[in-house]
Amino acid sequence: MTKQDISEIKKLLTPKNCSITRICGCYVDGEKNKKALFGQAFLALPEEEMFKYFEILRKALSGTLGKNLLNLEFPLSGEWIESPAADGDSPSSIGASEAVPRDMALDDAAAGRNVLTDEGVSGIDGMPSPGTATEKSPATDALNAHGLLLKLRESKLKDEALLEEYFDRIIENYEFVGNYLILLVHDVYDVPGRASDGMEMEDASDEIYEYILSCICPVELSKPGLSYNPEENAFQNRVRDWVVSLPDRGFLFPAFNDRGADIHSLLYYSKNPDELQEGFVDRLFGCPLPLSAGDQKETFQTLIEDTLGEDCSIEMVKDIHERFTELAQENKEAPEPVTLDKTQVRTILADSGVADEKLTEFDKHYDETAGESTSLLMNNIMETRSFEVKTPDVVIKVKPDRTNLIETKQVDGRECLVIALDGGVVVNGITVRTAGGPEPDGADCI
């Protein structure tokens, strides 16, 4: 999903545009016990509660693509696809007709493989239906994961057995200390058509986007304090209660790609971009996770250090940073984050002046550090809005277009950072004069 796709769905989560049909929830305590279950028509909620839910749901679609918002794709072996309807009938939605894993031929279903029907995932090949308590292999989880999400969407959250299986799977795999609330909503969006100039045409819709959106929200005790009691006309100790916080995790299924449903992928939200909970995602969705933003940055830094070796100087890193800054400017209007594969990273280093003999070792270092087929997001591996030089005691930041102000020189036999002082100098809020004299336009160095 692009930023525009996400923004279009977020606009639905407002009182003016809301078309959410149903909301369900499960409150779980710190011992993984279900304390409360609920489900009802969303529009039947009191207005005050509805606004609170809008805030929570919108947060699960907020953040930065590639950091805490990730597009995840289901593995080929874990997908279910609809089989053609018999006797010339037109295919209906998944669940109303049979479905099979995407990488299997349709006739393989008759050979003993799993089939998704109105009754759920059948255990033809010994695979349990949702809700069956048995030991599961990762492959079984992947197959069931996609099928379960499809069936949840199709049921419009009215199938208690499916909801029970979904909640159980989260409780079993979600790593969290404390109480939390699992929320799940169902919505049907009549996607308006668009003219060539981008204007929406409400009466030209030819696409229906049916989706589920889920959040996992910590539930915490409110902070202690004093509160005013109007009946007693006095300030008293406030009664602490359990408050639902903004979500820690969330997902949108199916993804809204090219202004339509893409059942082969979903959008995953993590409040902390460096704690994605790989095991949780694997068991709940069966989808592979990319490297976290922090891991991508660390991987790239190691790659540069290993590739350049003794040539890893301030000047060389400045040149690499300058090339990334240019690339960011070229793609600032791009709807999706810039993704770089091994070849593209190698080209950037070559354009930055890295010697050919160093580049000959690049492929080996990339495969060892990142992985041959791993792609990196530019925004995750390079900060293009500033240039930072750090020592154990000093941190210097300059604008990306003024890196020329920083250079290294030998002073009294020691390598030093030299910064040109163009214009006025302010120290702790105080404008000071430099050794070069009072001329405001003079350029001194420290």
Side-chain angles (χ1 to χ4, degrees):
M1 292 178 65
T2 65
K3 290 184 290 186
Q4 288 82 356
D5 294 331
I6 296 171
S7 178
E8 184 168 352
I9 300 305
K10 285 181 70 175
K11 289 178 182 178
L12 304 177
L13 306 176
T14 60
K16 178 182 177 180
N17 301 315
C18 177
S19 57
I20 297 175
T21 62
R22 188 168 178 82
I23 182 170
C24 297
C26 176
Y27 178 41
V28 184
D29 67 16
E31 302 298 322
K32 294 183 175 290
N33 299 312
K34 298 176 188 173
K35 304 297 290 184
L37 293 165
F38 67 89
Q40 68 176 94
F42 186 83
L43 296 179
L45 292 169
E47 186 174 296
E48 296 81 4
E49 291 182 21
M50 197 179 297
F51 275 91
K52 295 297 182 184
Y53 283 121
F54 282 142
E55 181 183 5
I56 291 171
L57 296 171
R58 287 173 61 86
K59 188 63 178 179
L61 298 177
S62 303
T64 304
L65 274 172
K67 290 186 184 290
N68 57 341
L69 283 175
L70 302 174
N71 288 301
L72 303 183
E73 294 186 357
F74 291 93
L76 196 64
S77 60
E79 290 193 5
W80 297 90
I81 61 171
E82 188 178 0
S83 64
D87 302 324
D89 294 336
S90 60
S92 56
S93 62
I94 294 221
S97 61
E98 291 187 346
V100 297
R102 188 182 176 195
D103 65 339
M104 299 180 185
L106 294 176
D107 58 355
D108 284 347
R113 290 184 171 87
N114 303 281
V115 176
L116 182 62
T117 66
D118 286 335
E119 287 71 38
V121 182
S122 64
I124 297 176
D125 197 23
M127 185 176 293
S129 301
T132 304
T134 184
E135 183 148 353
K136 308 167 187 172
S137 68
T140 301
D141 280 342
L143 290 168
N144 275 344
H146 193 233
L148 177 60
L149 294 180
L150 287 168
K151 293 294 287 182
L152 278 169
R153 183 186 67 153
E154 180 204 344
S155 73
K156 305 186 189 307
L157 307 187
K158 295 180 180 179
D159 188 315
E160 293 184 4
L162 289 173
L163 288 169
E164 192 82 11
E165 167 66 14
Y166 173 71
F167 293 143
D168 286 345
R169 190 166 296 181
I170 290 181
I171 294 170
E172 178 183 354
N173 297 292
Y174 181 50
E175 299 175 8
F176 186 78
V177 178
N179 301 0
Y180 57 90
L181 173 66
I182 307 169
L183 289 176
L184 187 61
V185 299
H186 171 271
D187 190 9
V188 179
Y189 174 37
D190 191 5
V191 184
R194 278 186 179 169
S196 57
D197 60 359
M199 293 293 293
E200 290 190 352
M201 301 181 294
E202 296 292 341
D203 58 346
S205 173
D206 58 359
E207 179 80 30
I208 298 296
Y209 173 58
E210 184 177 10
Y211 68 92
I212 54 176
L213 175 62
S214 185
C215 306
I216 306 177
C217 306
V219 179
E220 302 167 328
L221 275 174
S222 59
K223 295 180 179 179
L226 293 175
S227 63
Y228 176 68
N229 186 336
E231 295 180 0
E232 300 290 336
N233 194 28
F235 286 91
Q236 300 174 344
N237 186 45
R238 184 174 70 181
V239 177
R240 301 178 68 187
D241 54 2
W242 293 94
V243 179
V244 179
S245 303
L246 293 176
D248 181 63
R249 311 280 159 186
F251 74 89
L252 173 74
F253 174 83
F256 185 64
N257 289 329
D258 297 323
R259 308 194 71 233
D262 179 0
I263 64 170
H264 310 302
S265 59
L266 61 83
L267 183 70
Y268 176 66
Y269 167 82
S270 175
K271 179 180 179 180
N272 187 337
D274 292 325
E275 295 181 5
L276 301 178
Q277 286 205 23
E278 182 177 358
F280 170 70
V281 172
D282 179 57
R283 304 297 284 185
L284 187 64
F285 307 123
C287 297
L289 268 177
L291 290 174
S292 68
D295 287 342
Q296 288 188 41
K297 186 173 185 178
E298 183 178 340
T299 296
F300 179 74
Q301 291 169 345
T302 301
L303 175 64
I304 295 300
E305 293 168 4
D306 290 347
T307 299
L308 298 181
E310 295 296 323
D311 292 347
C312 192
S313 63
I314 289 180
E315 294 302 320
M316 179 56 71
V317 174
K318 281 169 59 176
D319 291 339
I320 295 174
H321 183 272
E322 181 179 344
R323 182 65 191 101
F324 271 100
T325 302
E326 293 171 355
L327 191 61
Q329 280 296 113
E330 295 168 4
N331 293 274
K332 64 180 181 180
E333 301 298 331
E336 298 182 67
V338 178
T339 302
L340 304 172
D341 59 21
K342 180 169 68 173
T343 301
Q344 291 168 311
V345 175
R346 192 182 196 279
T347 300
I348 289 175
L349 297 186
D351 292 344
S352 303
V354 176
D356 290 341
E357 57 268 24
K358 296 294 183 181
L359 291 175
T360 57
E361 297 293 317
F362 170 80
D363 288 349
K364 183 185 74 172
H365 291 308
Y366 193 99
D367 294 347
E368 292 175 350
T369 307
E372 181 180 3
S373 60
T374 300
S375 294
L376 306 173
L377 294 184
M378 185 181 68
N379 291 340
N380 289 344
I381 63 178
M382 182 65 71
E383 175 55 72
T384 58
R385 290 174 293 184
S386 68
F387 182 77
E388 179 182 285
V389 180
K390 182 185 294 185
T391 75
D393 301 308
V394 177
V395 177
I396 300 171
K397 289 186 177 182
V398 298
K399 295 179 180 179
D401 58 343
R402 297 308 306 272
T403 58
N404 61 298
L405 294 175
I406 299 178
E407 56 183 331
T408 57
K409 284 187 178 180
Q410 290 288 331
V411 179
D412 296 332
R414 301 169 64 193
E415 187 173 21
C416 299
L417 281 174
V418 179
I419 306 172
L421 302 181
D422 292 340
V425 179
V426 179
V427 179
N428 287 342
I430 302 171
T431 301
V432 299
R433 296 180 179 274
T434 58
E439 294 295 330
D441 294 329
D444 300 311
C445 294
I446 59 172

